[in-house]
Amino acid sequence: MSDYTEQDKKHDIHILHSMGYAQELERRMSSFSNFAISFSIICILSGGINSLGQATSGAGGAAIGLGWPLGCLISGLFALGLAQIGSAYPTAGGLYHWGSILGNRFTGWLAAWLNLLGLVTVLGAINVGTFYFFFGAFGSYIGLEDTLTHRVVFVALITGLQALINHFGIGLTAKLTDFSGYLIFATAILLTVVCLISAPSYEIGRLFTFANYTGTEGASLVWPTAVSGSMAFLLGLLLPIYTITGYDASAHTSEETVKAAHSVPKGMVSSVIWSALFGYVMLCSFVLMIPNMDDAAKQGWNVFFWAMDAQVNPTMKEILYFLIFVSQFLCGLATVTSLSRMIFAFSRDKGLPGSAALSKVSPKYRTPVSAIWTGSILSVLFVWFTSAITIAGTPAYSIVVSCTVIFLFLSFALPIALGFVAIGTPKWSKMGPWSMGVTGYRLVSVLVIVSMAVIFYIGIQPPNDWALPITVGFLVLTAIVWLAFENKRFKGPPIGDEVARRQAQIAAAEKAVGEVV
């Protein structure tokens, strides 16, 4: 980062001070590192592989050939909207801060809880997905079984290791997520080449051929209810939409990124573009490798291992499995970083129980140690408790995870929608240096609202129909908690005169962690 001058550093810190916060975290992330952390969480080798059955057991080849780019476009709209706000307000826990400054205390508080619950559950879902990938790839070698005990112990071990790495500073974490970025690129290219070499023929037409396998033999494990062909295609959009998320990590690490007002929006948008492009080529090549689409649909969630076993050289297959597993582990590592910064940011404004401890930054490692371990422990407990409970014959884990993306995208949509109203007013009088213009932003924000309605609609269809009452119940509960308790207690982030009053606290906080301004 030789191009990061002392003047650049002073500018980054000045922006942070102007929002009422101290430079407690350490700015050691380059622009590439900021991109890499979002790219690592998106991880096309995690969601793109573990959720592949949503496409092959639904609308078949067209769910990839046509559905993947459409779903990526939908997710990309959210990234564009958040990038514009992030350029103007580059702060950790950005969604919470943006929801407050563009709206009010309540909208900020709501955005924080939506994002926080989404991140806790998505970390659990990522590491459970890693367990099932490891189980399918290597489980037979070590006697691993798909039991509650094995699943929870595995998730606890890898989550603990991810937390430990985060504990020791953003420098180590950034190096590993930088490596993860290169690893995902290289592995996706290798998998693409192997699939094309192993393909029995290049039947390009299957990428644009619509089918409807919902409710049929084997496919019913993914989509138990038979629906229309058009609905099967819409359900398949969940594959790219579920995969292309997590780019808010670029915002959560704003205070650790150099030239944040420029780097953060670029990190968000470029992580989506490259994930969409490499994911599309990789998954299209996989579809071409599949021996028969009808047989693939019958495999349900197991389609990836089934096709690899049938078509790929055993030694090459094992190499790919190892590289994919490492990528999935690093995906979880980056998610711990994002989650901990969200907890830290919300806590320094006293938004959580135990905020004094959760907002404390280690002077030695310059990381929010309590936030790192608390978020990680909550994620493991979430996996444990929900996996052990069944509701109406369905594991509570599956029910809650179906709400995860709805919660996350609602936390994205809320500040973007507020920005539509606030832009050009005293609440948001100036665009950041990364700018699509006021008209461009307003167009994107309208498309985001429409996209949110689409995501919510397809996200509550069977077998995820429990997502509707859970989401509505959560919104009702938050309204009650806000009106009864938090409205009187929670002050929100510093705004206006409060920023000036905080300057002495800012200086003391920076002195405590050894930051020289």
Side-chain angles (χ1 to χ4, degrees):
M1 294 186 292
S2 58
D3 60 336
Y4 188 55
T5 66
E6 193 65 27
Q7 188 63 34
D8 291 329
K9 181 178 180 180
K10 287 181 179 179
H11 180 68
D12 280 334
I13 295 176
H14 171 72
I15 293 175
L16 190 56
H17 286 180
S18 72
M19 291 185 287
Y21 296 117
Q23 184 64 64
E24 295 180 89
L25 304 175
E26 189 174 17
R27 286 192 190 269
R28 293 189 60 182
M29 295 182 70
S30 65
S31 181
F32 178 81
S33 296
N34 186 273
F35 152 80
I37 196 166
S38 286
F39 187 67
S40 297
I41 295 179
I42 293 172
C43 192
I44 54 176
L45 299 172
S46 179
I49 288 174
N50 294 337
S51 301
L52 191 54
Q54 290 179 314
T56 53
S57 291
I64 299 297
L66 298 174
W68 178 269
L70 178 58
C72 290
L73 176 61
I74 290 172
S75 283
L77 291 169
F78 288 83
L80 280 171
L82 295 179
Q84 184 63 82
I85 305 173
S87 183
Y89 303 104
T91 172
L95 297 164
Y96 150 67
H97 192 84
W98 304 338
S100 300
I101 201 168
L102 300 177
N104 52 46
R105 290 182 304 128
F106 171 68
T107 54
W109 181 82
L110 178 60
W113 277 104
L114 285 167
N115 194 232
L116 183 58
L117 291 176
L119 286 171
V120 168
T121 53
V122 82
L123 174 59
I126 287 169
N127 284 339
V128 167
T130 303
F131 164 77
Y132 277 111
F133 182 84
F134 187 88
F135 172 75
F138 308 113
S140 60
Y141 298 152
I142 61 173
L144 190 66
E145 299 176 0
D146 184 13
T147 64
L148 175 63
T149 300
H150 283 201
R151 184 162 64 251
V152 172
V153 169
F154 182 95
V155 168
L157 287 174
I158 64 171
T159 307
L161 182 56
Q162 291 158 350
L164 190 63
I165 294 170
N166 270 275
H167 181 121
F168 289 127
I170 193 62
L172 175 59
T173 302
K175 287 177 182 177
L176 288 172
T177 50
D178 285 357
F179 169 74
S180 174
Y182 292 117
L183 179 64
I184 292 170
F185 278 126
T187 305
I189 293 170
L190 179 60
L191 180 58
T192 298
V193 172
V194 169
C195 287
L196 292 176
I197 292 173
S198 305
S201 64
Y202 297 134
E203 192 181 334
I204 303 297
R206 69 166 54 173
L207 293 168
F208 311 102
T209 300
F210 287 85
N212 184 2
Y213 297 110
T214 59
T216 61
E217 178 190 358
S220 61
L221 296 173
V222 180
W223 303 118
T225 304
V227 298
S228 66
S230 57
M231 179 54 72
F233 179 75
L234 286 176
L235 291 174
L237 294 178
L238 292 175
L239 169 62
I241 289 172
Y242 278 26
T243 301
I244 308 295
T245 187
Y247 37 79
D248 55 322
S250 289
H252 291 314
T253 52
S254 294
E255 294 174 27
E256 294 155 280
T257 301
V258 302
K259 300 180 183 178
H262 296 270
S263 301
V264 167
K266 289 180 181 177
M268 284 187 184
V269 175
S270 58
S271 66
V272 171
I273 292 173
W274 287 110
S275 295
L277 179 60
F278 273 71
Y280 186 60
V281 174
M282 181 186 77
L283 292 178
C284 283
S285 67
F286 179 83
V287 170
L288 294 177
M289 183 188 73
I290 290 174
N292 181 281
M293 292 303 296
D294 292 339
D295 290 338
K298 295 177 183 178
Q299 307 307 313
W301 296 114
N302 194 50
V303 63
F304 180 76
F305 291 113
W306 168 79
M308 294 291 283
D309 288 343
Q311 300 296 115
V312 177
N313 172 272
T315 301
M316 179 55 66
K317 181 180 66 175
E318 297 297 313
I319 293 172
L320 282 166
Y321 285 172
F322 175 75
L323 296 175
I324 293 169
F325 168 69
V326 174
S327 298
Q328 292 187 3
F329 172 81
L330 294 174
C331 171
L333 171 72
T335 307
V336 170
T337 309
S338 185
L339 169 59
S340 63
R341 273 45 173 188
M342 176 63 220
I343 293 174
F344 160 75
F346 196 26
S347 296
R348 67 182 170 185
D349 289 326
K350 299 177 174 57
L352 291 170
S355 286
L358 293 173
S359 61
K360 189 173 179 60
V361 174
S362 166
K364 182 176 182 179
Y365 299 113
R366 299 291 293 273
T367 55
V369 170
S370 296
I372 288 168
W373 287 102
T374 298
S376 300
I377 291 169
L378 287 174
S379 177
V380 174
L381 291 176
F382 154 71
V383 172
W384 184 8
F385 290 147
T386 56
S387 296
I389 299 172
T390 300
I391 301 174
T394 303
Y397 169 80
S398 301
I399 294 172
V400 176
V401 166
S402 67
C403 300
T404 295
V405 174
I406 291 177
F407 284 167
L408 279 177
F409 276 96
L410 280 173
S411 74
F412 297 167
L414 182 57
I416 293 172
L418 291 169
F420 178 86
V421 178
I423 197 166
T425 72
K427 284 187 175 183
W428 189 5
S429 58
K430 184 181 178 182
M431 306 283 275
W434 187 95
S435 176
M436 66 179 82
V438 174
T439 302
Y441 174 80
R442 283 187 166 148
L443 174 60
V444 166
S445 62
V446 170
L447 293 175
V448 161
I449 294 169
V450 174
S451 297
M452 186 67 244
V454 173
I455 292 170
F456 187 77
Y457 174 69
I458 61 178
I460 61 174
Q461 301 303 311
N464 301 324
D465 38 342
W466 274 94
L468 177 58
I470 288 176
T471 303
V472 172
F474 168 79
L475 293 175
V476 171
L477 179 62
T478 55
I480 293 172
V481 171
W482 174 260
L483 292 172
F485 305 104
E486 293 295 271
N487 186 33
K488 301 173 184 176
R489 187 198 67 82
F490 181 64
K491 298 184 185 303
I495 297 174
D497 293 340
E498 179 61 23
V499 173
R501 288 193 290 268
R502 278 201 183 191
Q503 294 308 306
Q505 297 176 28
I506 289 172
E510 290 175 343
K511 183 179 179 181
V513 296
E515 177 66 45
V516 178
V517 180

